C-alpha cells in the first residue's frame, strides 16, 4: 500500500507549484495557496536544496536561495510533472462533478494539497488520506494561517502499512453509494506494480457507485540505460533524497492491473500528448519523456 509520510520529493512538488504560481508566467496551473501552506521556512528549505544540487547538508539558514539560480534546474527536473498531473487530475475531477452533481473526491496521500481550499463546489465531499504525522502538521499550518476548514473537507489519518483504507474512510463519512473520484498522484514511482495494484484492489472493493481513479506512472523506459538524460537524472535525484524508483510500468501491465479489479481505461495521456496539452510552444519546460497519465473508470454495481 501507499506510505504517505511527507517526503522530500513531495515537498519539492509543493515547492514547484508554489514557485510557478508566484513567479511563473503563462501559468500551466495556478496553485495560489501552495506558498502559504508551505510557509516561508519550508519554501526556503526546498529552494536551498535545489540550489545546492539536492544536497541538504549544504543548506544554510543565514542565506536565501536565488530564484534565478534555481529556475532552470527546477523547470528541467521537477516542475513539469507536478504541474501537468494536477492540472489533468483536477480537470477530470471537475468534469466528473459536473456530470454527477453530488460526488466524493478521495486524495490518497494528500500531503500539502490545497484543492479543498480552492474548491467552490459544495457538492464535492473531499477526503484527504494521509499519515497521521503529515495530517497533524498540515492542520497546524491551517490553524496558524487562520483558514476556515470547509464543511465538505474530511481529514482521514491513516498508516497504510497498518490501517484498512475502507474502515478509515467509512469512519470519516465516506459513502460507497455516492460516485467517487480517487487521485493517487506521485506514488507509483517508488512502488512495484504489485504493491501499487493492491491500492487499486482496495479502491475497487469500496465502490458501489460509479468511480474513477487518476494516477501518473513512469513507463518501462525509466530505468533503462538508454533513457534520456533528465529521466535518469531525476531517478538519481530521488534516490539521493531517499526515494528510489523501483519500477517502470508498461501500458500493458497497467491495463491488466486495472482490468483485474473492474476498471477500464478512459484516458491514457502519453508523454507526447502531455507535451501538446501543457507545454507546446514553451521554451522553459517540457513534458517528461517517460511519464504517463491514466484516468480509469468502474461502472456502478448498484
Amino acid at each position: 500500500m501507499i506510505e504517505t509520510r511527507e517526503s522530500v520529493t513531495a515537498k519539492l512538488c509543493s515547492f514547484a507549484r508554489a514557485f510557478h504560481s508566484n513567479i511563473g508566467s503563462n501559468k500551466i496551473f495556478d496553485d495560489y495557496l501552495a506558498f502559504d501552506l508551505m510557509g516561508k521556512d519550508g519554501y526556503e528549505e526546498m529552494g536551498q536544496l535545489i540550489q545546492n544540487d539536492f544536497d541538504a547538508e549544504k543548506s544554510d539558514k543565514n542565506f536565501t536561495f536565488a530564484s534565478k539560480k534555481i529556475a532552470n534546474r527546477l523547470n528541467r527536473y521537477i516542475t513539469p510533472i507536478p504541474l501537468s498531473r494536477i492540472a489533468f487530475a483536477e480537470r477530470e475531477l471537475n468534469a466528473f462533478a459536473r456530470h454527477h452533481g453530488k460526488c466524493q473526491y478521495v486524495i490518497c496521500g494528500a500531503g500539502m494539497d490545497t484543492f479543498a481550499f480552492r474548491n467552490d463546489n459544495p457538492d464535492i465531499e473531499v477526503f484527504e488520506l494521509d499519515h497521521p504525522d503529515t495530517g497533524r502538521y498540515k492542520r497546524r499550518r491551517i490553524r496558524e494561517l487562520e483558514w476556515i476548514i470547509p464543511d465538505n473537507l474530511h481529514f482521514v489519518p491513516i498508516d497504510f502499512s497498518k490501517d484498512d483504507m475502507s474502515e478509515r474512510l467509512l469512519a470519516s463519512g465516506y459513502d460507497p453509494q455516492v460516485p467517487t473520484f480517487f487521485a493517487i498522484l506521485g506514488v507509483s514511482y517508488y512502488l512495484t506494480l504489485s504493491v501499487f495494484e493492491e491500492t487499486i484492489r482496495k479502491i475497487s472493493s469500496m465502490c458501489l457507485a460509479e468511480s474513477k481513479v487518476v494516477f501518473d506512472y513512469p513507463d518501462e523506459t525509466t530505468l533503462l540505460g538508454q533513457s534520456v538524460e533528465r529521466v535518469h537524472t531525476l531517478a538519481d535525484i530521488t534516490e539521493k533524497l531517499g526515494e528510489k524508483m523501483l519500477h517502470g510500468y508498461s501500458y500493458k501491465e497497467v491495463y491488466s492491473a486495472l482490468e483485474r479489479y473492474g476498471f477500464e481505461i478512459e484516458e491514457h495521456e502519453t508523454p507526447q500528448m502531455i507535451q501538446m496539452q501543457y507545454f507546446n510552444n514553451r521554451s522553459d519546460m517540457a513534458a517528461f519523456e517517460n511519464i504517463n497519465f491514466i484516468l480509469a473508470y468502474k461502472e456502478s454495481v448498484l
Side-chain angles (χ1 to χ4, degrees), residues 194-232:
S194 61
V195 174
F196 185 70
E197 186 177 333
E198 176 65 12
T199 300
I200 301 298
R201 185 191 70 79
K202 280 285 187 180
I203 289 172
S204 177
S205 70
M206 289 187 289
C207 302
L208 297 177
E210 180 184 338
S211 60
K212 291 190 178 184
V213 60
V214 64
F215 61 91
D216 54 330
Y217 75 93
D219 66 28
E220 66 272 30
T221 68
T222 300
L223 301 179
L224 298 179
Q226 65 267 35
S227 62
V228 299
E229 177 273 330
R230 67 177 182 153
V231 169
H232 60 72

Side-chain angles (χ1 to χ4, degrees), residues 42 122 180 253:
T180 304
E253 287 177 314

Side-chain angles (χ1 to χ4, degrees), residues 15-217:
F15 176 87
R17 294 197 306 271
F19 189 93
H20 183 70
S21 298
N22 290 347
I23 298 174
S25 59
N26 188 21
K27 291 184 176 59
I28 294 169
F29 185 82
D30 191 1
D31 191 350
Y32 52 87
L33 297 177
F35 175 82
D36 292 336
L37 194 54
M38 282 195 79
K40 184 179 182 300
D41 290 344
Y43 188 77
E44 179 65 32
E45 177 191 0
M46 291 300 103
Q48 285 209 29
L49 181 67
I50 297 164
Q51 185 166 296
N52 293 316
D53 295 321
F54 303 96
D55 186 347
E57 293 183 359
K58 294 180 180 179
S59 296
D60 189 335
K61 293 182 179 180
N62 296 315
F63 293 91
T64 299
F65 76 89
S67 297
K68 290 183 178 180
K69 289 185 177 181
I70 72 165
N72 289 339
R73 185 178 297 143
L74 178 66
N75 287 340
R76 179 165 179 78
Y77 297 113
I78 306 294
T79 302
I81 297 173
L83 287 185
S84 54
R85 74 184 176 204
I86 196 67
F88 175 73
E90 291 196 12
R91 183 191 75 194
E92 296 302 330
L93 166 66
N94 288 324
F96 185 80
R98 285 193 299 272
H99 177 73
H100 288 287
K102 181 178 174 57
C103 64
Q104 299 171 132
Y105 180 33
V106 177
I107 310 173
C108 299
M112 303 303 278
D113 190 283
T114 65
F115 172 81
F117 295 93
R118 293 181 282 105
N119 173 48
D120 59 4
N121 184 349
D123 286 336
I124 303 176
E125 292 288 323
V126 182
F127 296 83
E128 293 194 357
L129 276 68
D130 243 324
H131 191 276
D133 294 343
T134 303
R136 278 191 292 270
Y137 173 77
K138 184 172 185 177
R139 290 192 295 275
R140 189 186 77 203
R141 284 293 303 148
I142 290 169
R143 289 193 298 270
E144 291 170 352
L145 292 164
E146 298 183 345
W147 287 359
I148 298 173
I149 297 176
D151 292 337
N152 57 340
L153 171 58
H154 311 268
F155 295 109
V156 186
I158 181 170
D159 183 338
F160 283 98
S161 65
K162 302 175 183 177
D163 302 327
D164 184 274
M165 185 192 300
S166 304
E167 291 179 0
R168 292 290 182 177
L169 272 172
L170 289 168
S172 299
Y174 169 82
D175 186 347
Q177 300 190 56
V178 174
T180 304
F181 191 97
F182 291 83
I184 320 173
L185 302 177
V187 170
S188 63
Y189 303 74
Y190 315 109
L191 302 176
T192 61
L193 183 63
S194 61
V195 174
F196 185 70
E197 186 177 333
E198 176 65 12
T199 300
I200 301 298
R201 185 191 70 79
K202 280 285 187 180
I203 289 172
S204 177
S205 70
M206 289 187 289
C207 302
L208 297 177
E210 180 184 338
S211 60
K212 291 190 178 184
V213 60
V214 64
F215 61 91
D216 54 330
Y217 75 93

